[in-house]
Amino acid sequence: MEIARPYLLFLGDVPDDLAAKTAYGIVDWRRDWCVGQFRLPGCKADAEIPDMTIAEAVSAGARTMIIGVVNAGGVLPDHWVESIVTAIEAGLDIASGLHMRLGEIEAIAEAAQRCGRQLFDVRHSRERFATGKGTKRSGKRLLTVGTDCSVGKKYAALALEKGMRDAGFDADFRATGQTGIFISGRGVSVDAVVADFISGAAEWLTPAAPDSHWDVVEGQGSLFHPSFAGVTLGLLHGAQPDAFVVCHEPTRTHMRNVQHPLPTIGQVIEATIASGRLTNPAIRCVGICINTEKLDEAEAREICERTATEYGVPASDPVRFGVEGIVARIARDFPAS
Amino acid sequence: MEIARPYLLFLGDVPDDLAAKTAYGIVDWRRDWCVGQFRLPGCKADAEIPDMTIAEAVSAGARTMIIGVVNAGGVLPDHWVESIVTAIEAGLDIASGLHMRLGEIEAIAEAAQRCGRQLFDVRHSRERFATGKGTKRSGKRLLTVGTDCSVGKKYAALALEKGMRDAGFDADFRATGQTGIFISGRGVSVDAVVADFISGAAEWLTPAAPDSHWDVVEGQGSLFHPSFAGVTLGLLHGAQPDAFVVCHEPTRTHMRNVQHPLPTIGQVIEATIASGRLTNPAIRCVGICINTEKLDEAEAREICERTATEYGVPASDPVRFGVEGIVARIARDFPAS
C-alpha cells in the first residue's frame, strides 16, 4: 500500500479540533504533502492550510483525498458521501482511517470502480501476513514504547526520524497506526490485524535492510496497559529493536481509560528489555521522551534533567526541546551505523 | 454461541490420523456427546465410534455435524459439500473449525438459509468484543500456560476441570481454540480475534462468577514464542488468573516452527507472575504438567518428581499420572473455594 501524494485533507463538518487530530498530525509533520483542506459548512476545525474546492485541489496537483477525521463509532456520515463521490469523479483516490470501510458504502464503491480510483482503508491492511518468525534481520531498528497509551510515541518517532536524518542517519519512520500511515504514505495498523499475526505484521513492516539503515518504529499501547499489552508485546517481538525510547506523560494519574496506576519509567525499561531480548538480545534503552505540554518551562526542564540523571540516558520533550541528545546517544552507542 | 448436542463427527476422506486430531480430541473428552462418525470412502482416520449415515445419526438424536478435521490451507474440499448439504437438509446444524467460512460456500449457505439451520465457524467469533478493562472480577480462574505451543495446555485444562469436579469443585473448562470449543460447546478462538480485543475476548470468556466458581482456561502459545507471545499476554491479562499451571514437553529441542531455544519452567513461572500481576496481584503457580508421551515410565516418574522438588509445586503428566496432586494444592491454597 502506497498512498499517492500530495493530499487534499477532508475535514467534513466535524464539531471540534479533537475530531480533526489526524489531519492536524499530517500538517504538523508533512505540510509539503498537503495542497489544502476541504471543509463543509459548519466545520469547527481548521488545519490552517488553504481552503480549496475539490476542483481547485485537482488543479493544484492533489492525488488523494484523506478523510482526516475521527468521529464517534468510526462511521462515515451519509452527508459526506456526496463530496467523496465528487472527489473520485474528479480523479482523486480516497484514503480513510475510520473503522467503517469506504467500500462498504455502495455509492463510493461504485464510483471508485467506474472511475478506476483506489480506496484505502488504512485501519484494515490488504496484506496477508505470515506469523512472525523471530529471526534476526539485517539493518537497525528503534521502537518507541510508553508508560501508557497516547503519551506521544508517534510524535517521538517522527521527531527521531527527523533528528536522525538531520544528523546524517539513513532513517525511515515506520507507521503502526492510522495517522502515522497518512504521514508516511505506508504502514500497517497493527492493532487491527488478527491476533495471530501481530509480530508477523511488524516483521513485514520492518524488513531486512542495509546495516546502516534505521527503521524508527511507532510504538503502540504499553506493556502495562491491561487492554492492549498483547499488541505492544507482539510489536516489540516483531520489530526486534536494537534501541528503544520510553515515552511518558508525567501528569497522568492512571492508565488511559482504565483505573490502573502508571508504571514507572524504570519498570517500562526493565519489562521492555526482559521481553525484547527474545528476538534481540542486544536491545537497549537510548533515551526518554517526556510530554511536558502541561508543565511550565522551568518544570519541564527540571523533569527532563532529573529523569536523565535517574536513568542514565538522555531525556527530553521532543516537541519543546528537540531530540539532539538522544540522537547523539544513538550515534555513540552504534558507531558503525 | 452454543453448539447443540449430541454431535455427528464428519471425518471426510482425510489421509491420516493427524488430520482428524480435532475429532479424536472430542471423543477423548466428550465421548457421550458423540452419536457416531460419518466417513467418506477412502478415509484413513477412525475415531473408534460407530460409523453412521446422516439419516442414522439424525434418528440417534444428533443435532450438529462437526467438521472434525483439518487440512492444508484450512479449505473445505468441493467433494465434501454434498454431504454437508445433505446433513443440513436432514435437520443438522454444521460446525467447522476450518479457516474458510462455511457460509462462503454458496450451496451450504443456501441450504442453511432454506432449512433454517445454523452454521458455526468456531475460528471466527460472531461476538463483538469490547477492549479489555482489567478490572478484577468475582470468581476464580486458573490458566494453563506453556514453555511452547502444542505442549498439552488444552489437555491439562480439561484434565484439571475433570479432576476439580471429581474433588467437589464447581469448575468449568473455558475454550480458547477450535478443538476446545467443540469439546465445551462454547468459547472463543482468541488467536483469530482482532489484536485490539485479545484481552477483551478473554474477559468475555471468563465473566464474573460466584466466589467459589473456577474457570479453567485453556492457554495459547507461550510468552517466549516469538510468533504468538502477544496472544499469550492478552489472554493472561484478560483471564486475570488466580492460579496457573505450566505445561512442558521435555524432549523438545527448540520452540515449535522457529529456531528459538525453549525457556526453562522457572523462566515461564517468573514471566507469568511478572506480567499476570498487572490484572491479578495474587497470581500464583499451583502446578506443572509434563507431557511424558515420549519417555518410558521410569523416566516419566523421575522427571515429574525432580520438577516438583525443583519448583516446590506438584508436577505430573495429566494423562499418564492424573492431576490429583495439583487439585489438592489448589484446595490447600484456596481454602475458601
Side-chain angles (χ1 to χ4, degrees), chain A:
Chain A
M1 181 184 72
E2 188 92 36
I3 302 169
R5 304 189 293 260
Y7 302 154
L8 170 65
L9 302 184
F10 176 83
L11 268 61
D13 53 355
V14 293
D16 54 31
D17 288 323
L18 199 61
K21 213 180 86 168
T22 301
Y24 291 4
I26 301 170
V27 173
D28 279 351
W29 290 101
R30 297 292 185 263
R31 172 65 190 88
D32 54 328
W33 291 8
C34 304
V35 300
Q37 62 183 348
F38 174 62
R39 301 188 292 172
L40 294 174
C43 184
K44 295 287 190 300
D46 183 356
E48 296 178 2
I49 58 175
D51 279 295
M52 288 187 178
T53 65
I54 287 165
E56 287 167 348
V58 171
S59 298
R63 304 272 308 278
T64 302
M65 184 165 87
I66 306 279
I67 314 299
V69 292
V70 291
N71 69 328
V75 173
L76 191 84
D78 285 343
H79 65 284
W80 291 0
V81 173
E82 191 187 330
S83 305
I84 294 170
V85 169
T86 303
I88 292 169
E89 290 175 340
L92 298 178
D93 291 339
I94 309 292
S96 159
L98 297 171
H99 271 290
M100 186 175 187
R101 290 168 201 257
L102 290 165
E104 285 174 36
I105 299 159
E106 206 175 310
I108 294 174
E110 185 277 323
Q113 174 78 29
R114 173 164 45 85
C115 304
R117 303 316 322 164
Q118 290 203 72
L119 304 176
F120 296 96
D121 291 293
V122 303
R123 292 191 83 94
H124 306 281
S125 179
R126 294 180 207 173
E127 235 10 78
R128 284 187 75 95
F129 301 107
T131 54
K133 293 287 162 279
T135 314
K136 189 81 183 72
R137 303 184 295 286
S138 58
K140 298 205 169 48
R141 289 160 197 86
L142 182 150
L143 176 67
T144 54
V145 300
T147 51
D148 194 3
C149 302
S150 306
V151 288
K153 291 186 288 289
K154 179 177 69 258
Y155 265 63
L158 285 160
L160 284 163
E161 177 197 50
K162 186 171 184 307
M164 291 174 76
R165 286 181 173 183
D166 290 348
F169 283 90
D170 175 18
D172 287 313
F173 171 75
R174 298 298 186 195
T176 60
Q178 54 163 329
T179 305
I181 293 172
F182 292 134
I183 291 171
S184 67
R186 62 184 295 280
V188 55
S189 199
V190 288
D191 59 6
V193 306
V194 167
D196 242 1
F197 303 103
I198 308 169
S199 62
E203 293 184 359
W204 172 88
L205 182 67
T206 62
D211 266 345
S212 61
H213 179 270
W214 282 86
D215 278 333
V216 183
V217 186
E218 175 191 5
Q220 290 293 334
S222 166
L223 286 176
F224 292 86
H225 198 295
S227 309
F228 307 117
V231 175
T232 310
L233 182 62
L235 176 56
L236 174 60
H237 283 161
Q240 55 178 232
D242 302 276
F244 67 92
V245 167
V246 180
C247 302
H248 180 61
E249 207 285 62
T251 68
R252 206 165 287 186
T253 54
H254 58 82
M255 305 287 281
R256 192 173 158 87
N257 293 330
V258 295
Q259 292 310 312
H260 292 65
L262 255 71
T264 65
I265 292 168
Q267 287 175 305
V268 172
I269 293 173
E270 190 186 340
T272 303
I273 291 173
S275 294
R277 64 184 166 214
L278 181 70
T279 55
N280 193 335
I283 185 171
R284 62 167 69 188
C285 179
V286 295
I288 298 163
C289 282
I290 303 178
N291 181 341
T292 64
E293 202 178 358
K294 295 179 185 162
L295 305 180
D296 69 29
E297 174 97 9
E299 288 172 324
R301 291 208 180 274
E302 193 276 327
I303 195 169
C304 289
E305 280 165 30
R306 181 159 42 86
T307 305
T309 305
E310 184 171 356
Y311 295 106
V313 290
S316 180
D317 182 323
V319 177
R320 201 167 195 165
F321 306 129
V323 293
E324 288 71 14
I326 299 174
V327 173
R329 178 62 166 252
I330 297 168
R332 191 200 86 178
D333 281 6
F334 299 89
S337 65

Side-chain angles (χ1 to χ4, degrees), chain B residues 138-215:
Chain B
S138 57
K140 298 205 169 49
R141 289 160 197 86
L142 182 149
L143 176 68
T144 54
V145 300
T147 50
D148 194 2
C149 302
S150 305
V151 289
K153 290 186 289 287
K154 179 177 70 256
Y155 265 63
L158 286 159
L160 284 162
E161 176 197 49
K162 185 172 183 310
M164 291 175 76
R165 286 181 173 185
D166 290 348
F169 284 90
D170 175 18
D172 286 312
F173 171 76
R174 297 299 186 194
T176 60
Q178 54 161 326
T179 305
I181 294 173
F182 291 135
I183 290 171
S184 66
R186 62 184 294 279
V188 55
S189 199
V190 289
D191 59 6
V193 306
V194 168
D196 242 1
F197 304 102
I198 308 170
S199 62
E203 292 184 359
W204 172 88
L205 182 68
T206 62
D211 266 344
S212 61
H213 179 270
W214 282 85
D215 277 333

